């Protein structure tokens, strides 16, 4: 058996992962660090930003260094577009200190009064993670989503950012600094056997409207998908090859055949991806969900709309 | 075994903390961790129930070793190379039989950061079939986050050393007239927990499948842990060495406090999940009734609740 941290150079050939990204096994001099030649998507591209930092394995990020990562990253994700900070259109809540690095709850709030034309999308970024772009969420034009909660992995002290795009194409950002959990808490899958055994299983919970008395049918959904959402940033202990990343790449949720919420996700979303959000129901058409992972596996399910509390 | 200057320095560094009864001029082979013989040929070092710090050298977990007619098996190597070397020195001070095995009870740094000391001493490192995978996913992160917690000085020489012998389900290790029964468990404290039962003394080394005094920490499966407790209790031991807390302790009575904690935590969370209370809010109060019964409750309970919530909402 090859020892941890040792790279068998005889096997050091480029690995093809995710179709269009070529990943090199690190040379001994830079082992533990990944080098990504060219990047093809925002999610994987953003790995390069961190991989290029010296001493990544040892450094502890600060607010300033997190901002520095962000400065290098924002152009890759948003080009030279202006980003307005703390306008109140989008708000972000996360614990000041992560308890479990693998499961950090994040709540995103959108203020409809500040976005009369609606919000088209929200991009969730964790600066110091190996893959900083955790997810981009798109909302259907009449979906009425004002709250969205999910769970993310947090590798290090970092800002978490939510950047919302309104109907006019303006970008609004909210951010909060989070201290990574200490000690033995790691952003890794806890029970791999279980995660793989029930992969693709979905569960939908429907909650009653929170505001009583008005005519809106806004209600709350919680969608849960069993999936290890593996990072791939780890070497197989036996072969020393990098284990290919395996995560839910896209997700779409519709009700009565109209789009409510879709996601393009990455490895910073926790195992068993979990999304809780409010939305405005129309008619009594069913809720359909489709998810596709990096292996091309498609997971589908559907549920009747419950007349909860109406 | 020859001690090079670095190791000598590491050991000397420990002396000031009272962990080691090691005077600078004394032979390292005659000193080491303060271990107690709890049964014939069964030795235990009891860690402090604290978070790992530079001051306690990461020596927060219970360690041990068992001496057979021909060989010695160590159980866990401690939370730093310094501690691993000190355990090795304690073994040397007790017996000249070779340390043929180091059994890693699971992946956590306070149990495996001293592994390199045992690898270098020629021991075969034994662990759960899932341990290599678990450490592949976490090793770099552990090294990074513990640098913050333990400090550069104590991190020197710490490596993630994988097991070279795996316990698929059960494995017997013969130390010469003395058999250790190793057992690999399904996901519980972690997904790579191993217990070691010394048949001749009827002492069970439970690793972190048993916590006493120190609040249990959850990094695997709460349901799996609770489900396997009857099987654990059925091991015909007369005493247990828990992963943390008082050692030895009565068996299987030592299981009672954690079982009570699990019941309260799971009960609170199931109620919150049924009521639709979101994770972030539910974990603030779940398990609170147990607060006064445990050390380090405030450090770990909310983390336990977070992991348990995510598991229980699939029920
Ligand atoms: Zn542990």
């Amino acid at each position: 058996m090859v020892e941890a941290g040792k790279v068998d150079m005889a096997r050091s050939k480029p690995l093809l992962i995710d179709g269009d990204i070529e990943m090199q096994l690190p040379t001994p001099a830079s082992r533990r660090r990944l080098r990504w030649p060219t990047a093809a998507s925002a999610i994987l591209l953003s790995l390069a930003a961190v991989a290029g930092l010296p001493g990544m394995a040892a450094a502890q990020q600060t607010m300033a260094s997190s901002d520095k990562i962000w400065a290098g990253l924002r152009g890759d994700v948003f080009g030279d577009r202006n980003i307005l900070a703390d306008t109140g259109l989008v708000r972000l809540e996360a614990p000041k200190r992560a308890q479990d690095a693998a499961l950090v709850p994040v709540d995103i709030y959108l203020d409809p009064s500040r976005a009369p034309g609606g919000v088209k999308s929200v991009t969730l970024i964790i600066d110091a993670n190996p893959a900083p772009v955790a997810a981009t969420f798109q909302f259907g034009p009449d979906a009425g989503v004002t709250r969205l909660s999910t769970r993310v992995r947090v590798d290090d002290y970092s800002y978490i950012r939510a950047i919302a795009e309104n109907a006019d194409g303006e970008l609004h950002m909210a951010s909060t600094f989070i201290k990574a959990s200490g000690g033995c808490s790691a952003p890794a899958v806890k029970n791999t056997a279980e995660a793989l055994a029930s992969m693709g299983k979905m569960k939908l919970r429907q909650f009653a409207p929170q505001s009583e008395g008005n005519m809106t049918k806004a209600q709350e959904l919680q969608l849960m998908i069993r999936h290890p959402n593996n990072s791939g940033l780890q070497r197989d202990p036996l072969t020393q090859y990098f284990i290919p990343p395996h995560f839910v790449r896209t997700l779409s949720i519709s009700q009565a055949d109209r789009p409510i919420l879709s996601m393009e996700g990455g490895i910073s979303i926790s195992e068993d991806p979990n999304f809780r959000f409010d939305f405005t129901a129309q008619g009594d058409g069913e809720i359909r969900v489709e998810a596709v992972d990096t292996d091309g596996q498609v997971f589908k399910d559907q549920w009747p709309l419950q007349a909860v509390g109406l | 075994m020859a001690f090079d200057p670095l190791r000598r320095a590491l050991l000397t560094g420990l002396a000031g903390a009272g962990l080691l009864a090691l005077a600078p001029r004394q032979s390292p082979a005659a000193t080491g961790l303060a271990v107690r013989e709890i049964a014939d040929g069964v030795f235990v070092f009891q860690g402090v129930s604290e978070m790992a710090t530079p001051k306690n050298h990461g020596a927060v977990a219970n360690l041990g070793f068992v001496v057979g007619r021909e060989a010695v098996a160590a159980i866990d190597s401690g939370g730093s190379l310094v501690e691993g070397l000190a355990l090795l020195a304690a073994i040397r001070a007790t017996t000249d039989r070779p340390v043929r095995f180091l059994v890693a009870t699971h992946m956590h740094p306070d149990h495996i950061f001293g592994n390199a000391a045992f690898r270098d001493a020629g021991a075969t490192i034994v662990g759960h079939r899932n341990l290599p995978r678990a450490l592949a996913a976490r090793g770099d992160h552990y090294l990074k986050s513990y640098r913050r917690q333990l400090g550069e000085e104590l991190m020197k020489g710490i490596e993630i050393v994988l097991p070279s012998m795996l316990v698929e389900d059960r494995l017997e290790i013969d130390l010469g007239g003395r058999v250790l029964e190793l057992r690999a468990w399904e996901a519980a404290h972690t997904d790579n927990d191993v217990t070691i039962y010394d048949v001749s003394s009827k002492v069970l080394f439970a690793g972190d499948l048993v916590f006493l005094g120190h609040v249990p920490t959850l990094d695997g499966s709460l349901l799996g842990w609770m489900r396997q407790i009857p099987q654990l209790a059925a091991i015909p031991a007369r005493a247990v060495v828990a992963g943390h807390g008082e050692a030895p302790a009565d068996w299987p009575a030592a299981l009672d406090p954690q079982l009570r904690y699990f019941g309260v935590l799971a009960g609170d969370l199931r109620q919150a999940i049924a009521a639709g209370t979101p994770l972030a809010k539910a974990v603030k109060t779940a398990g609170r009734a147990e607060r006064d019964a445990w050390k380090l409750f405030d450090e770990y309970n909310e983390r336990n609740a977070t992991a348990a919530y995510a598991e229980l909402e699939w029920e």
Side-chain angles (χ1 to χ4, degrees):
Chain A
M1 179 175 292
V2 184
E3 289 160 19
K6 285 218 175 123
V7 176
D8 181 353
M9 292 312 290
R11 302 178 209 255
S12 289
K13 56 173 187 168
L15 284 182
L16 204 63
I17 60 158
D18 197 32
D20 48 8
I21 299 276
E22 198 186 47
M23 184 159 144
Q24 307 277 353
L25 273 179
T27 60
S30 66
R31 56 178 219 212
R32 299 195 191 289
R33 210 172 307 150
L34 305 177
R35 289 183 310 168
W36 302 78
T38 50
S41 76
I43 290 162
L44 291 167
L45 165 80
S46 33
L47 279 156
V50 170
L53 291 176
M56 165 198 172
Q60 174 187 320
Q61 304 299 342
T62 60
M63 286 183 176
S65 67
S66 187
D67 270 333
K68 205 171 157 190
I69 296 172
W70 166 239
L73 182 64
R74 56 175 287 173
D76 295 335
V77 184
F78 296 105
D80 55 6
R81 296 169 68 186
N82 187 38
I83 299 177
L84 304 161
D86 303 320
T87 58
L89 185 149
V90 57
R91 219 155 45 74
L92 183 63
E93 280 181 15
K96 294 218 177 319
R97 177 177 281 281
Q99 293 293 333
D100 185 333
L103 279 166
V104 181
V106 175
D107 300 314
I108 299 162
Y109 297 89
L110 303 170
D111 183 349
S113 72
R114 291 172 202 265
V119 172
K120 287 197 287 195
S121 72
V122 170
T123 300
L124 189 62
I125 289 180
I126 305 161
D127 295 346
N129 271 14
V133 182
T136 297
F137 300 96
Q138 313 260 5
F139 306 106
D142 56 356
V145 176
T146 65
R147 293 189 304 278
L148 169 61
S149 304
T150 188
R151 298 163 196 175
V152 296
R153 296 189 169 112
V154 177
D155 284 53
D156 201 343
Y157 288 34
S158 179
Y159 273 111
I160 300 188
R161 306 171 192 274
I163 294 107
E165 178 171 5
N166 70 10
D168 302 328
E170 280 175 0
L171 299 174
H172 294 251
M173 179 171 80
S175 57
T176 182
F177 192 75
I178 187 161
K179 291 181 173 177
S181 56
C184 60
S185 169
V189 182
K190 288 184 203 308
N191 187 350
T192 305
E194 174 70 33
L196 290 171
S198 51
M199 188 168 68
K201 187 178 162 192
M202 292 189 205
K203 187 169 172 178
L204 184 83
R205 295 188 71 191
Q206 303 187 39
F207 301 96
Q210 294 210 330
S211 48
E212 299 293 328
N214 61 19
M215 295 304 288
T216 168
K217 283 184 168 183
Q219 60 186 63
E220 202 168 350
L221 298 181
Q222 183 184 12
L223 176 71
M224 302 156 59
I225 307 170
R226 276 280 198 213
H227 202 287
N229 236 48
N230 252 343
S231 72
L233 297 174
Q234 51 192 261
R235 263 178 245 117
D236 182 295
L238 294 171
T239 64
Q240 294 297 307
Y241 281 108
F242 278 98
I243 299 166
H246 185 203
F247 57 87
V248 174
R249 184 202 286 275
T250 64
L251 168 75
S252 56
I253 304 168
S254 66
Q255 187 261 324
D257 294 322
R258 51 190 260 279
I260 301 297
L261 174 70
S262 67
M263 180 205 68
E264 217 181 305
I267 57 172
S268 292
I269 295 289
S270 299
E271 68 183 281
D272 298 341
N274 193 310
F275 309 96
R276 185 166 170 166
F277 54 93
D278 65 341
F279 81 111
T280 308
Q282 270 183 15
D284 51 10
E286 64 187 4
I287 298 158
R288 289 200 186 121
V289 175
E290 181 175 309
V292 183
D293 75 6
T294 44
D295 286 356
Q297 291 199 72
V298 180
F299 310 107
K300 287 184 186 181
D301 214 334
Q302 56 196 56
W303 299 264
L305 182 71
Q306 285 171 13
V308 279
L310 292 174
Chain B
M1 166 187 163
F3 277 77
D4 65 24
L6 169 67
R7 292 201 182 127
R8 195 182 298 275
L10 287 169
L11 285 166
T12 311
L14 250 190
L19 251 173
L20 270 178
L22 179 68
R25 306 253 170 234
Q26 226 173 333
S27 158
T31 57
L33 279 184
V35 294
R36 264 180 311 136
E37 187 167 16
I38 62 164
D40 188 28
V42 180
F43 295 81
V44 168
F45 166 75
Q46 193 179 314
V48 289
S49 287
E50 297 173 1
M51 305 296 282
T53 62
K55 205 171 170 219
N56 62 33
H57 296 88
V60 298
N62 296 341
L63 316 177
F65 60 93
V66 180
V67 184
R69 216 168 45 224
E70 281 150 28
V72 179
I75 293 140
D76 283 342
S77 63
S80 61
L81 183 60
V82 170
E83 194 190 3
L85 289 167
L87 175 62
L88 204 49
I91 298 172
R92 299 292 186 219
T94 307
T95 174
D96 53 8
R97 282 159 228 177
V99 185
R100 203 155 282 159
F101 302 98
L102 167 69
V103 184
T105 60
H106 65 294
M107 67 187 179
H108 283 148
D110 49 335
H111 300 260
I112 58 134
F113 265 8
N115 280 11
F118 288 84
R119 176 201 59 198
D120 294 350
T124 296
I125 300 179
V126 187
H128 193 286
R129 61 177 188 273
N130 291 340
L131 184 59
R133 178 177 70 194
L135 285 174
R138 294 168 176 81
D140 285 355
H141 185 83
Y142 284 161
L143 293 174
K144 184 176 77 173
S145 70
Y146 271 77
R147 185 160 277 114
R148 188 150 61 213
Q149 199 166 331
L150 292 177
E152 293 291 339
E153 193 55 35
L154 202 56
M155 285 302 293
K156 275 182 193 156
I158 294 179
E159 293 174 55
I160 302 295
V161 184
L162 299 182
S164 57
M165 184 185 284
L166 300 181
V167 189
E168 286 297 324
D169 176 32
R170 285 164 202 256
L171 182 72
E172 291 192 349
I173 290 180
D174 192 345
L175 303 176
R178 181 162 215 158
V179 170
L180 300 182
E181 293 181 355
L182 274 53
R183 190 157 162 186
W185 297 80
E186 299 306 317
H189 171 64
T190 66
D191 76 353
N192 48 85
D193 302 310
V194 165
T195 55
I196 300 95
Y197 178 54
D198 175 41
V199 180
S200 52
S201 69
K202 289 183 166 283
V203 170
L204 172 68
F205 285 87
D208 281 3
L209 285 178
V210 179
F211 278 80
L212 281 166
H214 178 307
V215 73
T217 65
L218 175 64
D219 203 5
S221 163
L222 180 63
L223 293 174
W225 203 343
M226 293 170 85
R227 195 169 50 234
Q228 291 177 99
I229 278 183
Q231 288 157 260
L232 200 56
I235 295 173
R238 62 171 180 81
V240 66
V241 177
H244 297 266
E246 199 59 37
D250 287 343
W251 186 255
L255 288 165
D256 295 345
Q258 71 182 34
L259 203 50
R260 190 195 61 225
Y261 170 68
F262 295 156
V264 170
L265 183 63
D268 288 354
L269 289 171
R270 284 179 172 134
Q271 220 174 345
I273 291 163
T277 309
L279 182 152
K281 192 175 167 204
V283 300
K284 296 279 178 212
T285 54
R288 296 304 284 185
E290 283 285 303
R291 186 167 189 265
D292 293 337
W294 301 97
K295 286 178 191 153
L296 303 177
F297 185 91
D298 291 344
E299 283 78 3
Y300 289 111
N301 180 64
E302 204 174 314
R303 179 188 301 176
N304 291 343
T306 301
Y309 183 106
E311 183 182 5
L312 293 172
E313 69 187 333
W314 282 95
E315 281 187 320

